[in-house]
Amino acid sequence: MKKTLTEVSYSKEQLLESKKYAARRDLLGVLLENRKSYTEAQVTRKINEFMKGKVK
């Protein structure tokens, strides 16, 4: 029997309240959309993309 791993997704509100992203709370408030779910990998990718972005 194969075991499948499913990634857990979280709402914007859950991520903003999490201890893991406490230092990035303001950034996540801007980057994440309301009523949409994100996995930890997606959140990390969004943070990294933003931090590597060019300054206008």
Side-chain angles (χ1 to χ4, degrees):
M1 185 163 106
K2 270 189 175 178
K3 291 184 181 181
T4 57
L5 296 176
T6 57
E7 288 200 48
V8 179
S9 58
Y10 303 95
S11 69
K12 176 180 177 177
E13 292 78 21
Q14 288 174 308
L15 291 163
L16 291 175
E17 293 173 7
S18 73
K19 291 179 184 178
K20 180 175 182 172
Y21 296 110
R24 301 283 187 188
R25 193 167 282 144
D26 292 341
L27 178 59
L28 292 181
V30 174
L31 292 178
L32 303 181
E33 298 176 33
N34 293 325
R35 293 185 220 105
K36 192 171 176 185
S37 296
Y38 300 91
T39 64
E40 289 185 41
Q42 289 173 318
V43 174
T44 301
R45 190 175 328 110
K46 282 189 169 289
I47 291 171
N48 290 336
E49 288 173 359
F50 179 83
M51 298 306 282
K52 292 178 183 175
K54 294 183 180 178
V55 177
K56 292 181 182 180

